[in-house]
Amino acid sequence: MIDDRKQDAIELRAMGTGFVAMDVVEGLDATFASAGGSCGNVMALLSWLGWDSYPVARLGCDEPGDFVVHDLQFDGVNTDFVWQEQSVSTPVVVQKFKVDAEGHRSHRYVLTCPDCGGWLPRFRSTTIRQIQPVLDSHCVPDIFFFDRVSPSALKLASWVRESGGLVLFEPSSIGDESQFQKAVDVCHVLKFAEDRLGHINEIRDLTGPDIIVQTLGPRGLEFRLGWDWFELDAFEAPYFLDAAGSGDWCTALLLSELGNQGNLNPVSWTPRLISDALRRGQAAAALNCGFEGARGAMQAADKDAFMLAVSDLMAGKEPSVERLTEGKAEPRVNLCSLCKIVPFSTGNDAETA
């Protein structure tokens, strides 16, 4: 149970299920790849922050699948519950950039091959049969993250909640309303982006979650604790290249801060506690905007220097982005040709990403 566990960052365990994919980023100087997807990013970030991290995912027996597994392992993520099988293809997402007339740079995600136009492989959820080893493992996590609703995700979320763990649900769409409601009922924290679900007014009034967080892009975020709403302005990025992954950084830092401080039990939550944890997540997200890729800062910056910069930004000081990368290598994988690693599909054979 949460209250009986020693809240030490080294011993904290995170588990997540949902979108794990290979991200292909067409950057300024090179095209490079990274394990990604919301679930993949949050699990990798928590591992970087000192947690034992276990994604539960279904990938293909293909080159992107091998790449994702090896990339996660490189970042210290435990991949015991990542299954690769012949019947599916590993999800692939291409991240492109555009610059408007005023020079503002923004990203977009492309789900088709930039060469042939065919659909890239999409998300496939794990099955009830596949997650049985997880349930039998007694590997009960302190926190559980999920971003897609499926029978297996709901079963894992219920298992963690009944075992005393904290459950965070971060949907990008509603889909099946009855399944969505079950996900809302089982979670302690509901987090969503305004540009995804903000048009659904009823979502702000849902009962069940102890906290509802709505991110507002460059305007910051709002969170509800009890029935009171609180606003947090965004930090201005010291240097801007790419806003991808901002929500994942905010989620990972929120969970990590609550766990490291021994505050995973909602009974202990106060507006100040949640505000401080979310502010740290916002600061980390702002700093990551200085790097390309959803986890660019994690892959290019020294962790201690990065977290010091987070504290500086929260204190009103201007951190040096250049200092973060001293002694660090360039991104690990550069792709001279996407089709050398991505087996592009000519049809959409799975759920949307």
Side-chain angles (χ1 to χ4, degrees), residues 176-293:
D176 184 279
E177 292 187 6
S178 64
Q179 295 287 297
F180 182 84
Q181 185 61 54
K182 290 178 181 179
V184 169
D185 291 340
V186 78
C187 74
H188 299 93
V189 182
L190 173 65
K191 180 174 177 286
F192 64 94
E194 179 187 45
D195 62 350
R196 292 283 190 151
L197 296 177
H199 62 286
I200 305 174
N201 295 328
E202 295 83 357
I203 199 169
R204 291 170 58 92
D205 299 322
L206 289 171
T207 60
D210 296 272
I211 295 177
I212 296 179
V213 180
Q214 177 178 255
T215 58
L216 307 172
R219 305 198 322 275
L221 62 80
E222 297 177 326
F223 73 92
R224 192 192 81 186
L225 180 61
W227 288 103
D228 296 320
W229 282 92
F230 304 88
E231 298 181 5
L232 297 177
D233 292 333
F235 288 100
E236 183 176 352
Y239 181 68
F240 186 88
L241 274 178
D242 182 8
S246 294
D248 300 331
W249 280 90
C250 191
T251 296
L253 268 293
L254 167 65
L255 293 171
S256 185
E257 287 297 298
L258 292 176
N260 292 340
Q261 296 178 28
N263 290 309
L264 289 174
N265 192 328
V267 173
S268 67
W269 293 349
T270 64
R272 177 62 181 273
L273 175 74
I274 300 303
S275 176
D276 287 349
L278 286 170
R279 290 299 280 167
R280 188 163 291 274
Q282 288 179 294
L287 287 172
N288 187 63
C289 288
F291 303 85
E292 289 183 326

Side-chain angles (χ1 to χ4, degrees), residues 283-332:
L287 287 172
N288 187 63
C289 288
F291 303 85
E292 289 183 326
R295 293 187 288 115
M298 170 186 157
Q299 296 164 334
D302 174 79
K303 184 179 75 171
D304 292 338
F306 180 84
M307 297 310 296
L308 179 60
V310 167
S311 297
D312 285 345
L313 195 58
M314 293 180 67
K317 303 176 183 178
E318 185 171 345
S320 169
V321 174
E322 290 78 9
R323 190 183 70 226
L324 299 180
T325 59
E326 291 179 358
K328 296 293 288 186
E330 293 297 316
R332 291 190 295 272

